[in-house]
């Protein structure tokens, strides 16, 4: 089994969804149930591969496992190199779980204009791109997977989105594409300027920018930064996010928040920081600054939102600020926290978007002012919303806490060479951000769930949580709880790899 | 004066592709005499099969051990570069024939003459790929151009078609004159028309201003041919007016033929005096990308949109050439630039021909190329819409579709040069990639997201066999090459220029 996984595990994890997507595309359009079944089977099969990888993973090793390194495009020295370590594993599994949840959730409510065939095919292509990004160990392969994600999400927003979908989808695409074009230029610069002409992430990490003069390193880092920061998104490149989230269909929002944003932060951890450590040190205070601006700005904007989805979108900006603050400290402690933050944000915000979608489906509005009394009309859903909101604001004992608190703590003593005064200031401001987070989340919960239903919905019959919703949500809710109680489950997976990669910063 | 009367050395295998195509042209003209009017549509068979037969000697040349065959004192060279381009021209014209079969057969046009002229133009392109001499290049260029002037006017009762042909002819004649003027300077100073001799002259002496003028005029002549801004203004009108298959032919093959000669001119003959051609090509590339894309943003007709897009794509292809001499040691051949040009041309050819195949397929239903007539076409034919999306996003350069690799090798050549001038051009190209996405995606958005007009015909679209073959042979490679670019990259890697 182990040998089979070593050779094929990651390839299967990446390409099973694509095979499923092709099968759905060529399936007759009329047989919708069959198409849904294929999508479910493929996503479950992918998850099974993921679980097998999880079981066979060697938790004491810090290096790449299940490593596959085959010839791909010899002309440009780019190889088909996949590998999994403690950083990639949790994110890969997160992506697999979320896709299964999305398939189940959308089973009976496909957004207008229906067409489950196209919707599911796009979702599975998206899965291939996401899984591939988390395991690619070659810059060009990484780039291709990173971009494969764009088109399906573009179509998801543009076809199944809300009234302003055309604008939102094109904005999403152009922002991301701008970033990735510059990122590609940086990849090429790395290739030509490194002593060994290679795109291999491992080899480039080992080189650590050797042979490239400092000024050039900073320019190359700028390209990488833009590519990843737009995806995260960091302030001031975040403006596409609220629009995309607001207009996207529920499942699109979930995938966007839970996985797509992580591609950016993952890029920092895997590529930008380790490959150009010197430039990373120069850039870290600025990244930290943008991160805390994001925390405060995102929180303040959240307080001002009237639309549930838009509020959650801005809260994402704030949460990703904590993740970026953790990364900017360049310490293994901070990066461990950041990865925890990515996973926790993925599950929690994914859940929040599911809930926002379900609320919209029942009340046909997401306007917070028109909602109220969810706890009396649909108590189970109300409590799930409460639980998730608590997790999102970082209540100790739930998953959200372990992403935020250690990240703030890490800023107390950043890596050697970074100014302690600066980062301690950041720490204080970030701590204020958590208070604001409690503010907007609780206020949202209060206005949506507590009190009496508004007159316009008082007589409406509101169905509490459906069976399918239970099925899709239960694993996520359990994960929020379990990771909150036993954070070490995740920290122990990531720690070895993080320590290895970030040892170069001496933190 | 005694003229040497010795027979020139002739390598018959090296000339076999050209001879085959010439034979096919005579066959078609003969068949036109012999066949009754009812059977004349069968001449298209002769043309398409003849093109495939001509691929056989090209293949034999590609697998033979002799890497370079030089004839006529080095004026005509069959090397890997020439072989790769000849194969491309033949395959591309085969696709054009597939596009044109029903268009010509159903439109009450002259038939045999159409195919003969088409192949005559391709014959010129094949000569062009081998030409390493100014005179040979000029003769080849005329062989390429003159038939296309007639082809552009094939819809002779249509005013726009006539306008297209006249504009194309006048500009073409003017550009040829400018080019010949430039070539005469080059010949006058270098004392030879052979590209390698010109390179030798430049290596031994400092170029004079007059020589610079010669280079400048020669390049301007080619700039017309490849419709680079600011010498592009004929292209949109000609493309819109000409019959759509001819437009496809002009935008892919004719443009590629221009590059086929421009590459050896720049990389062999003028390479040493980079001060002369580098700024010109740099400006042409930057202007073509930017203005082509900006103009394309405002188009409401898909053929015109594709015309401007092809101007912009021509700019992208110029980028590696413009930076070819940057940041290199003396005597180092700019391999990455040559590879980039070849690979970009091949991939661009496939996706652009595919896009025109879709335009023709849609026009069979709507009779129009206006963007408005594409509204909601998804509801008429999801398959055509999907294929169009593939071509549009591939042209935009989005992975994992073939176009990304073309863009990638272009950026690779830029970064390989690595000088500030090169990087600046690279950044301009990057910004343009994003602008381009805007209009490419607009076509797809209109097709998928707009509603089908009320009175539109909703019955399933019937696509003739030839056209669907063309769609398949362009769409499949566009997807496969995006995932496994190495299949194609080999061609670029092998296509070394010899001189």
């Amino acid at each position: 089994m182990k040998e089979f996984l070593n050779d094929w595990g990651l390839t299967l994890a990446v390409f099973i969804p694509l095979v499923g997507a092709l099968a759905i595309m060529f399936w007759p359009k009329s047989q919708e149930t069959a198409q849904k079944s294929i999508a479910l089977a493929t996503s479950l099969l992918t998850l099974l591969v993921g679980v097998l990888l999880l079981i066979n993973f060697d938790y004491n090793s810090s290096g790449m496992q299940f490593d596959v390194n085959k010839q791909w495009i010899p002309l440009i020295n780019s190889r088909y190199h996949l590998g999994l370590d403690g950083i990639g594993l949790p994110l890969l599994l997160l992506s697999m779980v979320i896709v299964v949840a999305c398939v189940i959730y959308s089973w009976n409510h496909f957004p207008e204009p229906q067409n489950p065939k196209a919707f599911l095919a796009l979702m599975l292509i998206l899965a291939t791109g996401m899984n591939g990004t988390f395991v690619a160990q070659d810059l060009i392969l990484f780039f291709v997977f990173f971009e494969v994600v764009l088109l399906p999400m573009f179509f998801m927003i543009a076809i199944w989105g809300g009234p302003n979908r055309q604008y939102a989808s094109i904005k999403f695409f152009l922002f991301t594409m701008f970033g990735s074009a510059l990122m590609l230029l940086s990849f090429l610069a790395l290739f030509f300027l490194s002593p060994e002409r290679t795109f291999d992430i491992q080899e480039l990490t080992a080189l650590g920018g050797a042979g490239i003069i400092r000024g050039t390193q900073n320019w190359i880092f700028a390209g990488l930064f833009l590519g990843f920061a737009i995806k995260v998104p960091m302030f001031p490149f975040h403006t596409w996010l609220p629009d995309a989230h607001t207009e996207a269909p529920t499942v699109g929002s979930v995938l966007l928040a839970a996985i797509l944003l992580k591609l950016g932060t993952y890029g920092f951890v895997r590529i930008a920081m380790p490959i150009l450590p010197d430039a990373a040190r120069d850039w870290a205070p600025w990244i930290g600054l943008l991160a805390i601006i994001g925390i405060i700005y995102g929180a303040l904007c959240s307080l001002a939102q009237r639309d549930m989805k838009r509020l959650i979108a801005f809260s994402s900006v704030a949460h990703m600020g904590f993740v970026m603050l953790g990364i900017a400290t360049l310490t293994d402690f901070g990066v461990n926290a950041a990865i925890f933050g990515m996973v926790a944000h993925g599950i929690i915000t994914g859940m929040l978007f599911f809930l926002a979608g379900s609320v919209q489906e029942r009340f046909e509005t997401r306007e917070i002012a028109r909602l109220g009394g969810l706890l009396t009309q649909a108590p189970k859903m109300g409590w799930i919303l409460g639980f998730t909101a608590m997790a999102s604001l970082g209540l100790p004992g739930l998953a959200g806490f372990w992403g935020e608190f250690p990240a703030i703590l890490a800023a107390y003593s950043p890596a050697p060479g970074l100014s302690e005064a600066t980062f301690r200031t950041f720490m204080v401001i970030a701590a204020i951000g958590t208070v604001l987070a409690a503010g907007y989340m609780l206020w949202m919960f209060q206005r949506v769930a507590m009190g009496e239903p508004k007159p316009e919905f008082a007589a409406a019959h509101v169905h509490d949580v459906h069976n399918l919703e239970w099925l899709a949500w239960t694993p996520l809710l359990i994960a929020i709880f379990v990771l909150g109680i036993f954070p070490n489950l995740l920290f122990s997976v990531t720690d070895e790899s993080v320590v290895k990669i970030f040892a170069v910063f001496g933190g | 004066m005694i003229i040497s009367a010795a027979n020139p050395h002739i390598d018959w295998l090296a000339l076999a592709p050209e001879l085959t195509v010439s034979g096919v042209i005579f066959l078609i003209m003969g068949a036109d005499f012999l066949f009754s009017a009812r059977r004349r549509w069968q001449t298209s068979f002769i043309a398409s099969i003849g093109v495939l037969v001509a691929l056989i000697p090209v293949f034999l040349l590609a697998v033979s051990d002799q890497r370079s065959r030089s004839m006529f004192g080095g004026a005509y060279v069959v090397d890997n570069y020439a072989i790769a381009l000849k194969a491309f021209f033949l395959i591309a014209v085969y696709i054009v024939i597939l596009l044109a079969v029903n268009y010509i057969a159903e439109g009450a046009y002259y038939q045999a003459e159409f195919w003969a002229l088409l192949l005559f133009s391709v014959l010129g392109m094949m000569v062009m790929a081998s030409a390493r001499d100014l005179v040979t290049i000029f003769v080849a260029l005329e062989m390429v151009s003159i038939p296309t002037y007639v082809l552009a006017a094939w819809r002779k009762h249509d005013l726009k078609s006539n306008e297209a042909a006249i504009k194309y002819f006048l500009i073409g004649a003017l550009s040829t004159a400018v080019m010949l003027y430039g070539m005469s300077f080059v010949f006058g100073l270098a004392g030879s028309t052979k590209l390698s001799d010109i390179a030798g002259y430049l290596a031994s002496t400092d170029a004079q201003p007059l020589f610079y003028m010669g280079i400048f005029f020669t390049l301007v002549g080619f700039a017309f041919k490849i419709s680079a801004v600011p010498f592009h203004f004929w292209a949109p009108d000609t493309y819109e007016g000409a019959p759509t298959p001819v437009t496809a032919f002009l935008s892919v093959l004719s443009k590629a033929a221009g590059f086929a000669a421009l590459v050896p001119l720049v990389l062999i003959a003028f390479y040493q005096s980079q001060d002369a051609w580098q700024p010109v090509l740099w400006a042409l590339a930057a202007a073509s990308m930017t203005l082509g894309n900006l103009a394309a943003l405002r188009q409401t007709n898909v053929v015109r949109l594709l015309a401007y897009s092809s101007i912009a794509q021509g700019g992208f292809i110029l980028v590696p050439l413009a930076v070819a001499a940057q940041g290199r040691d003396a005597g180092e051949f700019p391999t990455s630039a040559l590879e980039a040009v070849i690979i970009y041309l091949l991939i661009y050819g496939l996706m652009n021909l595919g896009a025109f195949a879709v335009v023709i397929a849609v026009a069979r239903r709507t009779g129009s190329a206006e963007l408005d007539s594409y509204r909601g076409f998804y509801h008429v034919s999801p398959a055509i819409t999907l294929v169009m999306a593939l071509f549009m996003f591939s042209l935009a350069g989005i992975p994992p579709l073939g176009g990304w690799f073309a863009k990638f090798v272009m950026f690779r050549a830029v970064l390989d040069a690595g000088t500030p001038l090169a990087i600046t051009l690279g950044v301009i190209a990057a910004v343009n990639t994003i602008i381009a996405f805007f209009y490419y995606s607009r076509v797809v958005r209109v097709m998928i997201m707009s509603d089908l007009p009320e009175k539109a015909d909703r019955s399933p679209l019937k696509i003739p066999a030839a056209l669907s073959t063309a769609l398949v042979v362009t769409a499949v490679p566009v997807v496969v090459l995006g995932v496994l670019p190495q299949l194609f990259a080999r061609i670029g890697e092998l296509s070394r220029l010899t001189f």
Side-chain angles (χ1 to χ4, degrees):
Chain A
M1 191 65 202
K2 176 92 181 169
E3 299 214 331
F4 176 75
L5 281 179
N6 275 339
D7 290 344
W8 289 100
L10 294 182
T11 304
L12 286 176
V14 174
F15 289 106
I16 289 176
L18 188 64
V19 174
L22 290 176
I24 292 174
M25 263 189 241
F26 288 102
W27 210 265
K29 189 165 183 164
S30 52
Q31 301 174 10
E32 291 190 358
T33 317
Q35 290 154 13
K36 292 176 194 169
S37 309
I38 294 174
L40 184 63
T42 344
S43 56
L44 280 174
L45 193 62
T46 319
L47 181 61
L48 177 71
V49 174
V51 171
L52 288 174
L53 289 170
L54 185 74
I55 295 169
N56 286 286
F57 192 81
D58 176 2
Y59 293 93
N60 296 316
S61 153
S62 60
M64 283 293 152
Q65 303 182 33
F66 313 109
D67 197 271
V68 183
N69 197 344
K70 296 259 156 50
Q71 183 162 310
W72 182 40
I73 320 178
L75 174 73
I76 56 169
N77 291 6
S78 177
R79 299 180 65 82
Y80 177 74
H81 187 180
L82 304 179
L84 192 64
D85 66 356
I87 299 174
L89 181 67
L91 295 166
L92 180 67
L93 271 176
L94 174 71
S95 151
M96 290 167 168
V97 172
I98 294 284
V99 169
V100 174
C102 286
V103 173
I104 296 174
Y105 181 84
S106 49
W107 196 271
N108 273 339
H109 19 55
F110 281 93
E112 283 300 319
Q114 297 293 328
N115 199 346
K117 177 174 164 160
F119 194 81
L120 292 169
L122 287 175
M123 204 193 306
L124 290 175
I125 296 174
L126 199 62
T128 290
M130 299 185 303
N131 295 354
T133 313
F134 291 132
V135 295
Q137 301 300 333
D138 178 283
L139 288 178
I140 301 305
L141 195 62
F142 176 90
F143 172 77
V144 170
F145 283 128
F146 195 82
E147 297 279 292
V148 164
V149 172
L150 288 185
L151 278 183
M153 186 47 79
F154 170 74
F155 280 117
M156 251 190 206
I157 300 173
I159 298 178
W160 289 274
N164 208 3
R165 56 184 182 267
Q166 299 248 355
Y167 169 77
S169 59
I170 203 92
K171 190 170 175 183
F172 158 75
F173 203 106
L174 290 180
F175 264 72
T176 334
M177 200 174 162
F178 178 72
S180 45
L182 295 175
M183 182 177 84
L184 183 65
L185 287 182
S186 288
F187 285 175
L188 280 163
L190 275 175
F191 175 81
F192 282 111
L193 297 176
S194 292
E196 289 169 57
R197 295 199 163 183
T198 175
F199 283 117
D200 194 282
I201 295 178
Q202 300 308 312
E203 290 174 29
L204 286 169
T205 306
L207 286 170
I212 309 176
I213 49 172
R214 188 69 170 263
T216 316
Q217 281 197 31
N218 279 336
W219 279 108
I220 299 177
F221 195 94
L224 298 176
F225 172 79
L226 271 177
F228 297 136
I230 289 174
K231 198 89 174 179
V232 169
M234 294 186 76
F235 180 89
F237 312 108
H238 65 282
T239 58
W240 62 269
L241 186 78
D243 289 317
H245 267 314
T246 316
E247 299 304 326
T250 305
V251 169
S253 285
V254 172
L255 288 166
L256 194 58
I259 321 289
L260 261 58
L261 306 190
K262 311 303 175 290
L263 301 183
T265 41
Y266 174 79
F268 276 108
V269 175
R270 170 72 71 211
I271 294 172
M273 303 292 181
I275 290 182
L276 293 170
D278 292 337
R281 241 176 247 122
D282 287 353
W283 275 77
W286 302 103
I287 295 177
L289 179 67
L290 291 179
I292 57 147
I293 293 180
I295 293 173
I296 299 298
Y297 176 86
L300 291 176
C301 286
S302 295
L303 279 170
Q305 295 311 314
R306 285 175 296 194
D307 179 310
M308 257 179 103
K309 265 187 152 183
R310 235 179 144 76
L311 185 148
I312 305 168
F314 274 108
S315 85
S316 283
V317 176
H319 283 126
M320 296 315 274
F322 285 106
V323 173
M324 287 312 299
L325 180 64
I327 296 173
T329 64
L330 299 177
T331 56
D332 47 63
F333 190 61
V335 175
N336 271 320
I339 297 171
F340 203 108
M342 291 184 218
V343 175
H345 175 264
I347 304 171
I348 296 168
T349 309
M351 246 339 278
L352 283 173
F353 277 117
F354 271 136
L355 287 161
S358 289
V359 165
Q360 178 180 28
E361 197 186 39
R362 285 164 175 79
F363 297 97
E364 297 192 342
T365 179
R366 296 184 309 253
E367 214 180 309
I368 299 172
R370 288 176 61 193
L371 297 167
L374 189 65
L375 278 170
T376 58
Q377 283 185 311
K380 288 172 191 151
M381 202 155 105
W383 282 118
I384 294 177
L385 179 64
F387 176 78
T388 320
M390 296 297 163
S392 179
L393 64 85
L395 193 72
L398 297 176
F401 176 73
W402 299 107
E404 290 182 9
F405 178 65
I408 298 172
L409 214 55
Y412 184 76
S413 57
L418 299 179
S419 152
E420 283 196 352
T422 313
F423 273 86
R424 284 182 189 171
T425 316
F426 291 169
M427 184 183 85
V428 174
I429 300 173
I432 296 170
T434 59
V435 181
L436 290 173
Y440 61 76
M441 270 298 156
L442 290 177
W443 196 28
M444 188 266 282
F445 177 63
Q446 185 193 23
R447 283 181 293 169
V448 170
M450 298 192 174
E452 289 300 313
K454 294 282 152 63
E456 61 173 320
F457 298 117
H461 170 72
V462 177
H463 198 293
D464 212 333
V465 184
H466 294 288
N467 287 340
L468 281 174
E469 286 169 339
W470 275 124
L471 207 56
W473 295 350
T474 314
L476 303 182
L477 296 172
I478 293 175
I480 294 175
F481 189 68
V482 171
L483 285 177
I485 310 263
F486 303 112
N488 222 26
L489 277 180
L490 189 49
F491 283 132
S492 61
V493 176
T494 57
D495 193 47
E496 298 277 345
S497 305
V498 171
V499 167
K500 182 189 170 208
I501 292 180
F502 280 77
V504 62
F505 296 104
Chain B
M1 196 167 107
I2 298 166
I3 296 169
S4 159
N7 281 334
H9 158 72
I10 290 181
D11 184 336
W12 291 103
L13 179 59
L15 290 179
E18 285 86 343
L19 293 175
T20 314
V21 173
S22 318
V24 175
I25 295 171
F26 281 110
L27 262 180
I28 293 171
M29 297 311 287
D32 192 32
F33 273 116
L34 299 176
F35 287 6
S36 60
R38 219 161 31 82
R39 288 178 60 206
R40 259 183 213 141
W41 60 274
Q42 291 170 346
T43 46
S44 66
F45 277 127
I46 304 178
S48 56
I49 292 167
V51 166
L52 294 181
V53 170
L55 272 170
I56 296 172
V58 174
F59 177 74
L60 290 178
L61 283 167
V63 295
S64 85
D65 292 331
Q66 200 180 338
R67 289 275 55 103
S68 172
R69 298 155 190 267
S70 176
M71 278 169 281
F72 312 118
Y76 201 85
V77 177
V78 180
D79 52 6
N80 284 345
Y81 172 81
I83 293 170
L85 281 174
K86 282 175 194 183
F88 169 70
F89 288 136
L90 287 172
I91 293 169
V93 80
Y94 179 73
I95 298 172
V96 171
I97 292 172
L98 290 177
L99 298 186
V101 167
N102 295 86
Y103 193 98
I104 297 298
E106 289 163 16
Y109 301 114
Y110 293 117
Q111 301 208 12
E113 291 86 342
F114 184 88
W115 309 117
L117 285 170
L118 201 63
L119 290 189
F120 198 76
S121 183
V122 169
L123 183 62
M125 294 175 188
M126 295 169 73
V127 174
M128 187 85 108
S130 282
R132 300 288 184 276
D133 174 282
L134 292 182
V135 176
T136 320
I137 288 176
F138 168 70
V139 172
L141 198 63
E142 291 300 277
M143 279 168 76
V144 172
S145 301
I146 292 171
T148 53
Y149 300 145
V150 186
L151 288 174
W154 214 250
R155 283 160 45 189
K156 63 178 178 183
H157 300 297
D158 183 288
L159 266 182
K160 276 196 164 175
S161 186
N162 286 303
E163 182 194 334
I166 283 291
K167 275 191 178 158
Y168 187 34
F169 170 67
L170 289 177
I171 299 287
L174 176 69
S175 67
T176 310
V178 172
M179 186 192 308
L180 265 184
Y181 187 57
M183 283 178 172
S184 69
F185 284 173
V186 172
F187 169 67
L189 289 166
S192 168
T193 53
K194 256 178 66 184
L195 301 191
S196 51
D197 288 348
I198 298 169
Y201 164 78
L202 282 173
S204 60
T205 25
D206 284 335
Q208 302 164 23
L210 208 57
F211 196 86
Y212 277 37
M213 264 176 71
I215 293 180
F216 179 76
F217 283 128
T218 313
L219 291 183
V220 166
F222 276 101
F224 278 110
K225 295 291 173 201
I226 59 173
S227 60
V229 176
F231 309 104
H232 66 287
F233 34 80
W234 59 274
D237 291 339
T238 302
Y239 284 11
E240 189 188 357
T244 320
V246 175
T247 308
F249 184 80
L250 291 177
S251 77
V252 171
L253 283 107
S254 191
K255 191 180 280 261
F259 277 103
L262 190 59
V263 167
L265 264 179
V266 170
L267 295 189
I268 297 176
F270 304 151
Y271 191 64
Q272 299 281 341
S273 62
Q274 40 171 296
D275 315 353
W277 53 265
Q278 203 162 257
V280 181
L281 292 186
W282 198 97
L284 287 176
S288 302
M289 290 187 289
T290 313
L291 294 178
N293 275 328
L294 290 179
L297 283 177
R298 299 191 53 81
Q299 300 309 314
T300 54
N301 179 302
V302 177
V303 172
R304 281 186 87 85
L305 185 144
L306 284 173
Y308 282 106
S309 124
S310 89
I311 291 169
Q313 298 279 355
F316 284 121
I317 305 176
L318 274 174
V319 168
L321 271 186
V323 302
Q326 291 268 317
R328 278 184 208 289
D329 307 329
E332 186 196 352
F333 188 79
T335 313
S336 65
L338 177 64
E339 281 168 1
V341 173
I342 301 283
I343 292 174
Y344 204 121
L345 266 180
L346 302 186
I347 295 179
Y348 161 75
L350 275 178
M351 49 199 191
N352 220 40
L353 285 176
F356 276 108
V358 174
V359 171
I360 293 171
V362 173
R364 288 177 68 81
R365 165 60 57 88
T366 63
S368 153
E370 291 297 319
L371 193 55
D372 267 343
S373 67
Y374 283 66
R375 293 175 67 87
F377 208 76
Y378 178 76
H379 302 288
V380 178
S381 170
I384 281 285
T385 309
L386 176 72
V387 174
M388 189 60 159
L390 286 183
F391 292 130
M392 289 294 118
F393 289 126
S394 181
L395 280 165
I398 309 220
L401 301 165
W404 84 268
F405 192 67
K407 290 266 176 0
F408 179 83
V409 286
M410 184 263 292
F411 283 124
R412 176 170 166 268
V414 168
L415 270 290
D416 190 22
T419 57
L421 209 61
I423 305 279
T424 314
L425 196 58
V427 171
I428 296 176
V431 172
N432 271 295
T433 312
I434 296 150
I435 302 176
F437 173 77
F438 208 83
Y439 60 83
Y440 287 129
S441 72
R442 193 168 60 143
V443 177
V444 180
R445 278 183 291 151
V446 166
M447 288 177 87
I448 297 183
M449 286 157 220
S450 304
D451 294 324
L452 196 62
E454 283 296 318
K455 54 184 188 302
D457 181 357
R458 283 167 185 269
S459 58
L461 186 68
K462 281 199 194 66
I463 305 171
L467 200 53
S468 39
T469 314
L471 286 169
V472 171
V473 297
T474 46
V476 171
V478 161
V479 176
V480 173
L481 290 174
V483 184
L484 300 170
Q486 188 61 23
L487 296 176
F488 231 45
R490 288 276 309 151
I491 300 172
E493 194 180 11
L494 288 175
S495 59
R496 295 273 174 272
L497 262 173
T498 48
F499 27 108

